[in-house]
Amino acid sequence: MNNIIHKIRQIYPVSDEALQALLTNMQVRYYPKGTYIVRAGVTDRLVYFIEEGVTRSVFHHDGQDTTTWFSQEGDVTFGMDSLYYQQPSIESIETLSDCKIYTIHINKLNALYATYIDIANWGRILHQNVNKELSHMFAERLQLPPKERYEQFNHRYPGLINRVKLKYVAAFLGISIYTLSRIRAKK
């Protein structure tokens, strides 16, 4: 669990006691590449902590897939509508590699939030950081030319370009695969 613990403590200095309580309530699961761990239209009340591997969040619409987020070692992922509002997820989460993931049910995580202020603070800061990133990505997509979006992608996700299909990166950046190929060829 080194990747998960490192990332948690990078976000907030969670005590050993609180961290142990969190880890005790998790279950390890292994997912092969290409597995949808969260499915659009299904209510999923689990939080997924990625120890090994890469996932993408994706919207399916009219036969098109649009990648909206990538998660990798140490990151947390989940379907927001399912987790917080007990409604079917509007997006899917797909494994892009074989993954080792620790899960915890939201009810158990909420109980830990109520018991350990440092876990609650970690969760709050995690969500603040994600909100900030989403806001920045939205503005970048509206304001930056494709080359600069690609540069921001590489800054945000170092090395990920070599771990995922380019069509997912292109969809994430809101550009065609041809534009992405041209940008990469000029590097």
Side-chain angles (χ1 to χ4, degrees):
M1 289 191 133
N2 290 338
N3 291 319
I4 294 169
I5 293 169
H6 175 74
K7 189 71 170 252
I8 288 172
R9 288 206 161 131
Q10 190 176 34
I11 293 169
Y12 191 83
V14 175
S15 70
D16 290 340
E17 178 188 350
L19 187 60
Q20 186 57 44
L22 176 65
L23 301 179
T24 299
N25 281 282
M26 292 180 169
Q27 295 181 335
V28 66
R29 297 182 180 190
Y30 297 89
Y31 298 97
K33 177 180 179 178
T35 301
Y36 284 98
I37 59 175
V38 173
R39 291 187 175 276
V42 175
T43 302
D44 184 317
R45 305 281 287 149
L46 295 178
V47 180
Y48 299 85
F49 290 75
I50 303 171
E51 179 60 25
E52 297 172 8
V54 178
T55 67
R56 73 177 179 132
S57 299
V58 57
F59 285 102
H60 310 285
H61 182 70
D62 289 339
Q64 291 265 21
D65 288 351
T66 302
T67 300
T68 58
W69 193 265
F70 292 99
S71 299
Q72 53 191 329
E73 287 83 5
D75 290 340
V76 177
T77 191
F78 51 85
M80 187 173 301
D81 287 334
S82 290
L83 199 67
Y84 295 125
Y85 306 107
Q86 299 181 24
Q87 298 174 352
S89 182
I90 60 171
E91 64 185 345
S92 296
I93 300 173
E94 178 186 15
T95 60
L96 299 181
S97 65
D98 292 343
C99 290
K100 179 180 182 181
I101 297 177
Y102 288 82
T103 64
I104 186 169
H105 193 278
I106 189 60
N107 293 343
K108 288 184 180 181
L109 185 57
N110 284 334
L112 291 170
Y113 286 158
T115 306
Y116 297 96
I117 190 67
D118 42 348
I119 293 179
N121 283 334
W122 162 79
R124 177 182 51 79
I125 293 169
L126 174 71
H127 282 80
Q128 285 174 195
N129 292 346
V130 169
N131 252 349
K132 178 183 172 189
E133 285 300 310
L134 285 170
S135 176
H136 285 235
M137 289 187 314
F138 182 73
E140 289 166 8
R141 199 161 182 185
L142 291 173
Q143 298 173 347
L144 296 181
K147 181 179 184 248
E148 290 178 41
R149 280 185 254 163
Y150 176 69
E151 290 167 355
Q152 287 294 351
F153 173 84
N154 284 321
H155 176 72
R156 186 171 281 120
Y157 298 107
L160 190 62
I161 193 75
N162 299 317
R163 298 178 70 190
V164 300
K165 291 181 180 179
L166 292 181
K167 69 179 184 176
Y168 300 149
V169 175
F172 177 78
L173 296 173
I175 61 178
S176 71
I177 188 74
Y178 306 107
T179 300
L180 179 59
S181 294
R182 283 195 305 273
I183 291 168
R184 293 187 77 223
K186 292 179 183 177
K187 284 272 176 195

